[in-house]
Amino acid sequence: MSNSKDDDAVAGPVPVAPVDAGPVLAADGTPLKRSLGRALRRQKGRALLLIAPLLIFVLVTFIIPIGSMLFRSVENDIVANTLPYAVQELASWDAASGELPSEAVYKAMYDDLFVATEAKKHTRLGSRLNYEQTGISSLFRQSGRKVDDLAKDAAKALEDAVPAFENGETWYALMDAGDGEGNTTLLKNTRGRIGRLNDGPASADMDFVPSAEIAALLPRTARTYTEWAIFEVTDAERVPTNRAPWELVSLALLEELKTADLSGLSGERAALLQQAQAVDFEIPSYTDTFAEIDQDWANVTAWETLQTHSAKYTAGYFLNAIDAQKTPDGFAWQPEEKQILLTLFGRTLVMSLMITGSCILLGYPVAWLLANLPASRANLLMILVLLPFWTSLLVRTSAWKVMLQSQGVINDVLVWIGLVDDADRLVMINNQFGTIVAMTHILLPFMILPMYSVMQTVPPTYLRAAKSLGATNWTAFWRVYFPQSIPGIGAGSILVFILSIGYYITPEIVGGTKGVFISNRIAYHISSSLNWGLAAALGSILLAVVLVLYWCYDRIVGIDNVKLG
């Protein structure tokens, strides 16, 4: 007989048929997974709404302004917007040929420069190009004063021969479509240019519409009159209906009428234009006109500068930031006497590291005392550490200037105790030493506080345990205490280094010519030279350097090891 227990052991457990229970449902009958997902999304949405005001504030007041400023490092639309027709004609000119541009380029330049002078933008354009070629600013300034001489002669000849052109109503009736269905493309394109010239959109309240018939017959005249009409509305805020236009319009009309076919016109317009066509006015070469205005226009250098820097986006500012320049032939280094920025970058990095190191050496003992002294003494010492925050930065820096100068307190004490001869006083101001001393004093609290907050978390029992196992005081400190304080050193070092690399007030006051940082040049270009493009490029490079160093620190030390307590 077989044993039933043995049979069960051989057969194993009896299989149970799977039961299809379906998805787990919530109380409202929806699948639990979907219900949990919906609740999680609602929770995240409420959390986002709570921080939305802060995010919007940071975006509007921090990210957008900084992004806009950094964008200036590649933005270069002033040349293309101010001289659009000249830039278009210059595109086909070969600067390497050594020959001057064609007559068409000079003609387009005359129109653009005339309009820019009326809009008072020619000096700004000259200032921009003066960053690339010294002296070109005065060229544009002088040319702006003389560019309208030819146009004035043309306007006088036209008005003397046909007195009707003295009235603004005559011009308006000649150029306006009347029925409102004129050359809207010309109006739109011109509005865009005038809007850019005046740093704002053109007015929408524009009753004038250039005549399609006149625009086809006299395109330059119609374009120039339209530019003037929009300029009157947007900039001068005057109605162009009864005002005489720019003299440039008269010049363009007389020039185009010399070859225009008026046979297709009839009525008052035809009669008026036929009278103007009969005016005897000899228009000189625009090349000769510019040569008479200034001989530099008869040199290819000015035109090369215009062509090289006419693109809407440029790498020229970044090249200038590394002591190079953009030339018609490509990349080139600045003259040796102008190569200063790379030196300043190197000096900024080296001195910032030295300041960080000096803050570590001076701040570590103070932080250790703060963390290990009794509470009453530690509180008094903390007040002394925080005391500099209650004093103006300018006052602290000026105090160091008084103390470090040749006749200052420190030199007087050294002379009094006999360590320094009165004739050989130490030079401690207007150099790198003065900058390091002053900035170390200013940034020292930023190093002490992170180290103190970390040291406070180190249990003192660790040191006693190490000593009980036979370690000396130095071994206990170096093997047990110091490794646990490294996160505080890292946090303080990052804070001090980033602050020091961007300081400019202290180096400006105590650094002289040998102790200034690259940030001083950034401040100079923003407030004095107004070369915001170069300042933005220098700031972008400085930001990139800081991010690279931060990445290296993260790879070597690990940012996760940085703690503030």
Side-chain angles (χ1 to χ4, degrees):
M1 280 180 74
S2 62
N3 193 329
S4 60
K5 292 183 178 180
D6 293 340
D7 293 340
D8 291 342
V10 174
V14 179
V16 179
V19 179
D20 187 8
V24 180
L25 302 180
D28 58 356
T30 60
L32 182 60
K33 184 177 180 181
R34 185 189 307 169
S35 180
L36 289 175
R38 186 164 57 242
L40 184 60
R41 286 194 297 271
R42 282 199 300 265
Q43 185 179 4
K44 290 181 178 179
R46 286 194 296 267
L48 182 61
L49 289 176
L50 288 175
I51 65 172
L54 177 60
L55 291 177
I56 295 174
F57 176 79
V58 172
L59 179 67
V60 173
T61 63
F62 184 75
I63 297 178
I64 292 179
I66 289 181
S68 176
M69 185 63 191
L70 294 181
F71 179 69
R72 291 177 178 269
S73 61
V74 295
E75 187 181 27
N76 188 50
D77 59 352
I78 183 173
V79 178
N81 289 343
T82 309
L83 307 174
Y85 305 116
V87 168
Q88 184 178 354
E89 293 291 342
L90 267 176
S92 58
W93 174 60
D94 183 13
S97 65
E99 298 179 358
L100 290 173
S102 63
E103 177 73 6
V105 174
Y106 279 93
K107 182 178 178 179
M109 184 65 180
Y110 187 91
D111 289 358
D112 287 336
L113 188 57
F114 189 102
V115 176
T117 302
E118 293 293 335
K120 294 180 172 50
K121 297 296 180 182
H122 63 297
T123 53
R124 181 183 171 191
L125 173 64
S127 298
R128 162 65 188 99
L129 294 174
N130 200 68
Y131 301 146
E132 312 297 341
Q133 180 192 334
T134 304
I136 202 170
S137 177
S138 60
L139 172 63
F140 276 91
R141 188 167 53 251
Q142 295 174 9
S143 300
R145 290 195 291 263
K146 301 178 182 179
V147 73
D148 61 347
D149 291 349
L150 174 60
K152 285 182 178 179
D153 294 340
K156 186 176 185 304
L158 178 62
E159 292 169 1
D160 290 344
V162 188
F165 280 102
E166 296 180 3
N167 301 322
E169 294 88 344
T170 302
W171 283 103
Y172 194 86
L174 178 65
M175 297 295 170
D176 187 42
D179 55 3
E181 297 181 359
N183 194 327
T184 55
T185 301
L186 173 61
L187 181 63
K188 180 180 179 181
N189 293 341
T190 306
R191 280 192 183 197
R193 182 192 179 195
I194 294 295
R196 289 190 296 268
L197 281 174
N198 292 278
D199 297 329
S203 173
D205 302 327
M206 191 72 193
D207 295 331
F208 170 77
V209 180
S211 169
E213 186 179 31
I214 295 298
L217 182 66
L218 307 169
R220 182 186 174 200
T221 306
R223 182 195 74 208
T224 307
Y225 185 87
T226 303
E227 287 182 337
W228 168 80
I230 297 177
F231 179 80
E232 286 291 295
V233 174
T234 58
D235 190 85
E237 298 182 354
R238 296 185 296 229
V239 179
T241 308
N242 56 358
R243 301 187 63 84
W246 291 328
E247 294 90 349
L248 180 62
V249 182
S250 300
L251 175 63
L253 178 65
L254 290 180
E255 183 172 2
E256 289 186 313
L257 284 176
K258 291 182 179 298
T259 57
D261 182 10
L262 304 179
S263 60
L265 290 180
S266 60
E268 296 182 1
R269 281 182 174 175
L272 191 64
L273 291 177
Q274 287 172 359
Q275 295 179 53
Q277 194 175 39
V279 175
D280 184 18
F281 181 77
E282 187 66 29
I283 299 176
S285 164
Y286 287 96
T287 304
D288 296 338
T289 300
F290 271 95
E292 292 177 2
I293 291 175
D294 197 300
Q295 280 298 320
D296 285 343
W297 291 115
N299 193 312
V300 297
T301 305
W303 296 105
E304 285 179 343
T305 304
L306 273 173
Q307 187 185 56
T308 303
H309 302 283
S310 61
K312 290 190 175 182
Y313 303 100
T314 180
Y317 290 124
F318 281 99
L319 291 177
N320 293 342
I322 59 171
D323 293 327
Q325 58 184 333
K326 185 180 179 181
T327 67
D329 299 326
F331 172 91
W333 290 106
Q334 294 274 13
E336 187 173 351
E337 63 273 11
K338 293 184 178 181
Q339 295 183 15
I340 183 62
L341 296 178
L342 285 178
T343 301
L344 288 179
F345 271 117
R347 178 192 300 169
T348 300
L349 293 176
V350 171
M351 291 182 64
S352 296
L353 290 173
M354 293 176 65
I355 292 167
T356 303
S358 62
C359 285
I360 293 174
L361 294 177
L362 295 176
Y364 196 93
V366 178
W368 186 87
L369 287 174
L370 281 171
N372 292 277
L373 282 176
S376 58
R377 297 182 182 180
N379 290 337
L380 177 61
L381 187 58
M382 178 61 74
I383 292 175
L384 297 178
V385 171
L386 297 177
L387 189 61
F389 288 120
W390 305 336
T391 309
S392 169
L393 172 64
L394 190 60
V395 172
R396 283 180 281 164
T397 304
S398 300
W400 277 111
K401 189 174 182 69
V402 173
M403 295 182 65
L404 295 174
Q405 61 185 343
S406 297
Q407 302 300 323
V409 177
I410 296 178
N411 265 306
D412 286 345
V413 171
L414 293 176
V415 171
W416 179 66
I417 62 179
L419 292 179
V420 175
D421 187 71
D422 188 43
D424 298 321
R425 289 174 174 254
L426 301 178
V427 179
M428 298 181 291
I429 197 70
N430 295 330
N431 52 27
Q432 295 184 14
F433 178 80
T435 299
I436 293 173
V437 170
M439 288 187 62
T440 298
H441 168 249
I442 291 170
L443 297 176
L444 189 57
F446 295 99
M447 179 66 75
I448 294 175
L449 294 176
M451 289 195 297
Y452 162 69
S453 63
V454 172
M455 290 178 182
Q456 219 179 14
T457 64
V458 179
T461 55
Y462 287 4
L463 289 176
R464 290 198 294 267
K467 292 178 183 179
S468 67
L469 293 175
T472 63
N473 289 335
W474 170 252
T475 302
F477 167 78
W478 185 250
R479 298 285 297 274
V480 177
Y481 191 87
F482 182 77
Q484 296 183 76
S485 65
I486 287 179
I489 298 176
S493 299
I494 291 177
L495 191 60
V496 169
F497 179 79
I498 292 178
L499 287 174
S500 63
I501 206 173
Y503 257 58
Y504 68 94
I505 295 178
T506 303
E508 184 70 24
I509 295 177
V510 300
T513 58
K514 297 181 179 179
V516 295
F517 286 2
I518 192 64
S519 51
N520 294 96
R521 296 301 298 178
I522 296 175
Y524 167 76
H525 288 303
I526 288 178
S527 60
S528 298
S529 72
L530 302 181
N531 190 352
W532 286 17
L534 179 55
L538 292 172
S540 299
I541 294 175
L542 195 60
L543 177 61
V545 170
V546 171
L547 291 177
V548 169
L549 292 175
Y550 179 85
W551 178 82
C552 293
Y553 182 89
D554 183 37
R555 298 286 293 180
I556 297 172
V557 178
I559 200 63
D560 294 337
N561 295 323
V562 174
K563 297 179 183 178
L564 293 174

